[in-house]
Amino acid sequence: MRNVLKLCTGLLLPVALFTSGGCGNKPKYPGPLSPEEALKSLHIINGLKVELFAAEPLVTDPVSMEFDEDGNCYVVVMSDYPDKPAPGTEKGHIRVLRDTDGDGRADTSIVFADKLSEGTSILPWKGGLLVTAAPEILYMKDTTGDFVADTREVLFSGFFKDNPETQITNLRFGVDNWIYANNRGQDGNVTFRDKPDAKPLSVKGADFRFRLDRGLFELETGPGQFGQAIDDYRNRFVTENSIHIQQIILPWRYTHRHAYLPSARAIRNISDHDPIMFQESATPYWRAERTRRRNAEFQEKKLKRVEYEREHFTGASGGTFYNGDALPQEFYGNIFTGEVAGNLVHRDVLVASADSVHFTAKRSAAESKQEFISSNDTWFRPVNFTTGPDGYLYVLDYYRQHIETPVSIPDDLKADMDFYEGSDKGRIYRVMPANGAYRSASPKLSKTSSDSLVQLFPHPNQWYAQQAHRLLVERQDRSVIPALKQMQGNADPRARLHALYTLEALDALDVSIVKKALADSSADVQEHAAILAENYPACLPELLALVKDSPAKLTMQAALSLGQFNNARVTDAFVQVLERFGDNKYMQMAVLSSDAGSSPAMLAALFKSNIARDTVKLSNSFIHDLSYIVGARNNSAQLTEYTALLEHGNMQAGSRQSFAAKGLLGGMEKSEGSSPALKTALKAFRPKLKNVNGQTLADLKTLVSTTK
């Protein structure tokens, strides 16, 4: 449709006018603006300005951008969206953008790799790039210095590949030496080139992480869609179309260390202002009409549902943690998210509380009634962001007339929509102080000595610290161990954490280093020390001490880490955790995720504690979930021990007996160890749970003990 011209009143008119429904009428879908005009349409909050870094023809359809250790800028181009091209006809590619004269604007563009099928993200690694291109994660490298990849290897394969909006993406290197990726929970059986004998990993329901320095790959909590922000201390935040910021609360390796946790939902919407956004652009015709139809249908069916056509998040994309130093300090640590349907950029300020296990994402006072960046140009599609070695925030604008997937639009409405209109365009902007002049950066870290890389850990632009950390992991240069140990005394907790995990990557940790980190002045460093202490039994006393008066988030990690130990004192520590934070669902999950925390002995200890009759700190939900786990585990010794507790005096507080009975029966019904005869008996018993009393519990106890 792009090249079709229509005759109207004797004139040749572009297709944009043909979509109006009649000659001479206002077009349904406005045409594009030039890069300079589009720049003028962007409205940013006071104190900042936006400059153009690159535009067509140097770059089109940008979806991801990263600077490598030498400051070279790589951009993933996704030109095939929304269709899936036939093999060999792919238009997707990766470009290198270069600013050869140092004026802050790209002037040279080189195709690093072409024929890329649905590439969505990149990460520098060992002089090349890791690339997510479903169903694979690739490794590409230029070995001749001409910025053109001449090697291409498949590292991982088997990811879901049938929807570009829900595929493997968002590679991020964490301070803990793991590389994280969003998988949107899609099904797939993933294999790793370096572990050919390993069983394929089913990634359904999860995100993904791996370590190339250790040859490890595993599931991670999610699911995230297109957008993953990892902060200085490896807290993960993911983006989803209509939920613009969620925090991963509990890692997968804890919530799945036994198979019986009834609710492993360990992700939370942390925004205090969802779903509202402040949209400046007009609502596209198709969206307004589709919304009108849907709402009419809801009313006709008398459903209590309403669809909003604007000013509600529906196309959130590319959530990114800003850790640069070129913007004022107040912007450090903020998360920026694009809203491609609303043609705007949203900013979240993360606020922590000592009593909370998660952050709260808030609007700044300056954006209480406006967005960080907004535009009346309906083609403005901010899909992603990155921080550069110059410390600025970069915004990737996909710049398309339409960005919604066609499958969600009625056929009659999409008949006059060209989903490739704008595929020859794309813009990348740089956000900087309003009164500041551009400052260039030429890091050249690939030639920097390992000792000098260590000294970059406290750099105010943490881009340098991240690159240095990654390079040291790649090099495996043990000569820096003394410098890393000395860095443990640096005033900046970020630097201390980089040093701690670089020592871990070099197999240079020992008990004394971990114990020192467990006593660190920063709760964030202590949290990671607790994780590392899981490999050092001698650190158990220090771990136990952390649950007494630490902030909630650190207490939760201590509980998670203590769950890795088989020690009687762990149960007492869990009691302390629940005495302080038992009303928190995530803290309950942290305790219940371990064998010790989900045993009858755990409940017996709680019945002897200060919260024995406190139905808030020792809640019905905890009683139910612990009972469910005991039932699902279906261990005869535990069942005998547990059913004896059903008639305990403290079980009679509130509705505990009812929740305990329902949980136990539900777990046993789901247990693979329950015989068909037992499951039949349990099903027949279920009606008795409508009114649980002493006789009900006695009958349940008899049923459990006599039926196998």
Side-chain angles (χ1 to χ4, degrees), residues 359-380:
F359 292 89
T360 299
K362 294 181 173 290
R363 286 183 174 274
S364 72
E367 291 144 67
S368 61
K369 297 296 181 181
Q370 69 178 92
E371 298 296 345
F372 181 74
I373 298 176
S374 59
S375 177
N376 55 21
D377 179 8
T378 56
W379 289 57
F380 177 51

Side-chain angles (χ1 to χ4, degrees), residues 57-76:
L58 293 181
V59 67
T60 59
D61 298 325
V63 295
S64 181
M65 183 170 92
E66 295 290 337
F67 293 88
D68 72 5
E69 59 269 21
D70 291 333
N72 298 308
C73 176
Y74 295 84
V75 180
V76 179

Side-chain angles (χ1 to χ4, degrees), residues 368-514:
S368 61
K369 297 296 181 181
Q370 69 178 92
E371 298 296 345
F372 181 74
I373 298 176
S374 59
S375 177
N376 55 21
D377 179 8
T378 56
W379 289 57
F380 177 51
R381 310 292 189 182
V383 294
N384 217 334
F385 310 83
T386 196
T387 303
D390 49 20
Y392 299 113
L393 177 71
Y394 286 81
V395 182
L396 278 66
D397 179 5
Y398 197 62
Y399 210 76
R400 287 278 188 99
Q401 188 176 58
H402 306 291
I403 201 165
E404 189 93 2
T405 176
V407 299
S408 65
I409 301 175
D411 289 343
D412 66 309
L413 294 181
K414 65 185 177 186
D416 57 6
M417 298 170 66
D418 182 357
F419 291 91
Y420 283 96
E421 190 65 43
S423 61
D424 58 345
K425 296 175 175 60
R427 289 86 193 264
I428 299 174
Y429 301 103
R430 177 172 51 242
V431 177
M432 55 192 300
N435 298 321
Y438 171 71
R439 63 181 196 187
S440 61
S442 301
K444 305 301 181 187
L445 298 184
S446 66
K447 306 299 182 184
T448 301
S449 70
S450 295
D451 275 339
S452 295
L453 289 177
V454 174
Q455 304 312 311
L456 293 174
F457 286 172
H459 198 287
N461 178 6
Q462 279 287 291
W463 179 90
Y464 282 87
Q466 288 178 319
Q467 302 299 320
H469 184 152
R470 175 179 58 79
L471 288 170
L472 288 168
V473 172
E474 293 174 5
R475 292 179 184 181
Q476 290 291 302
D477 181 359
R478 293 178 60 83
S479 70
V480 299
I481 290 175
L484 291 169
K485 290 182 177 179
Q486 186 175 5
M487 185 60 66
Q488 288 287 289
N490 192 275
D492 190 332
R494 300 171 304 175
R496 300 197 296 274
L497 191 59
H498 282 298
L500 185 66
Y501 271 112
T502 307
L503 286 167
E504 186 270 349
L506 297 176
D507 292 321
L509 284 182
D510 57 37
V511 172
S512 64
I513 294 173
V514 177

Side-chain angles (χ1 to χ4, degrees), residues 608-620:
K608 298 176 183 177
S609 73
N610 294 329
I611 60 170
R613 300 190 65 80
D614 185 338
T615 56
V616 176
K617 292 292 181 67
L618 182 50
S619 67
N620 286 334

Side-chain angles (χ1 to χ4, degrees), residues 120-354:
T120 56
S121 71
I122 50 178
L123 183 75
W125 182 258
K126 289 193 173 181
L129 293 178
L130 299 174
V131 183
T132 54
E136 300 165 337
I137 296 179
L138 308 171
Y139 177 64
M140 299 180 175
K141 186 175 182 178
D142 158 35
T143 63
T144 62
D146 60 358
F147 294 105
V148 177
D150 44 62
T151 66
R152 175 184 175 126
E153 307 170 42
V154 176
L155 297 183
F156 297 94
S157 60
F159 293 102
F160 174 81
K161 63 176 181 178
D162 291 332
N163 184 343
E165 294 187 0
T166 59
Q167 295 181 169
I168 189 74
T169 190
N170 296 121
L171 292 170
R172 299 287 185 268
F173 182 81
V175 70
D176 59 354
N177 302 320
W178 286 85
I179 297 172
Y180 293 81
N182 288 355
N183 179 56
R184 195 63 176 95
Q186 296 294 337
D187 198 4
N189 293 299
V190 176
T191 59
F192 181 24
R193 179 201 64 184
D194 294 350
K195 300 286 183 178
D197 297 328
K199 180 181 177 181
L201 178 69
S202 173
V203 293
K204 185 176 182 179
D207 282 343
F208 184 68
R209 73 173 192 165
F210 59 97
R211 282 187 68 166
L212 296 179
D213 63 318
R214 297 283 176 88
L216 303 174
F217 63 110
E218 62 186 36
L219 304 179
E220 186 51 282
T221 302
Q225 197 171 3
F226 193 73
Q228 178 178 210
I230 299 183
D231 71 5
D232 292 327
Y233 299 103
R234 203 239 35 219
N235 296 298
R236 285 182 65 223
F237 308 88
V238 296
T239 310
E240 191 270 330
N241 279 347
S242 57
I243 306 175
H244 76 276
I245 183 167
Q246 298 181 86
Q247 183 177 349
I248 306 302
I249 309 296
L250 299 169
W252 185 281
R253 64 188 180 278
Y254 297 123
T255 59
H256 291 77
R257 55 185 161 189
H258 67 67
Y260 313 113
L261 199 64
S263 174
R265 174 79 178 165
I267 179 173
R268 182 184 179 92
N269 180 353
I270 61 170
S271 171
D272 72 350
H273 51 277
D274 258 355
I276 303 301
M277 64 181 186
F278 302 116
Q279 183 175 348
E280 180 182 348
S281 59
T283 305
Y285 170 78
W286 71 264
R287 182 178 291 276
E289 177 61 17
R290 187 186 70 175
T291 300
R292 184 193 66 77
R293 294 179 188 181
R294 286 181 174 177
N295 285 331
E297 181 181 358
F298 297 155
Q299 292 175 14
E300 181 181 344
K301 295 180 178 179
K302 297 182 179 181
L303 299 175
K304 294 182 179 180
R305 292 176 58 186
V306 177
E307 178 175 288
Y308 297 93
E309 68 178 48
R310 59 182 291 108
E311 296 184 342
H312 287 65
F313 283 101
T314 62
S317 176
T320 300
F321 179 81
Y322 174 70
N323 60 356
D325 64 341
L327 300 185
Q329 181 61 32
E330 65 190 89
F331 296 97
Y332 189 98
N334 293 175
I335 291 182
F336 293 87
T337 307
E339 220 304 336
V340 296
N343 317 111
L344 56 87
V345 175
H346 181 77
R347 174 168 73 112
D348 280 302
V349 179
L350 299 180
V351 178
S353 167

